[in-house]
Amino acid sequence: MDINADLHVEDLVDEYPGAVGFLAERGVVCIRCGEPYWGTLRELAATKGLGDRIDEIVQELRRYLEGATPDS
């Protein structure tokens, strides 16, 4: 899976459920706390006022997922 800013959140979560917690820790809440969101990572970051940090967040997410396995 190519992790990039235009990846749909639901696809990311299907492959890597652990990404939810990673994103939430950075203020990019997608499906926790009763706040479902389905769209791209770029769109989600923009709704949280983090659009200017999306490239940084995606790079961190890639590094995080390198150590994760699918379904974790």
Side-chain angles (χ1 to χ4, degrees):
M1 171 176 287
D2 179 28
I3 306 299
N4 63 70
D6 296 313
L7 177 64
H8 282 263
V9 173
E10 60 267 34
D11 294 336
L12 174 65
V13 173
D14 282 346
E15 185 77 20
Y16 294 100
V20 173
F22 175 89
L23 292 171
E25 289 172 6
R26 284 148 186 83
V28 186
V29 179
C30 54
I31 60 172
R32 266 196 182 162
C33 303
E35 188 176 346
Y37 182 85
W38 305 114
T40 67
L41 288 172
R42 181 183 314 279
E43 294 165 341
L44 176 59
T47 66
K48 303 300 180 183
L50 299 168
D52 60 333
R53 293 194 50 229
I54 188 58
D55 292 331
E56 174 188 341
I57 292 168
V58 168
Q59 287 178 345
E60 291 175 2
L61 178 60
R62 284 183 189 136
R63 285 192 295 271
Y64 170 78
L65 293 177
E66 284 175 2
T69 58
D71 301 325
S72 68

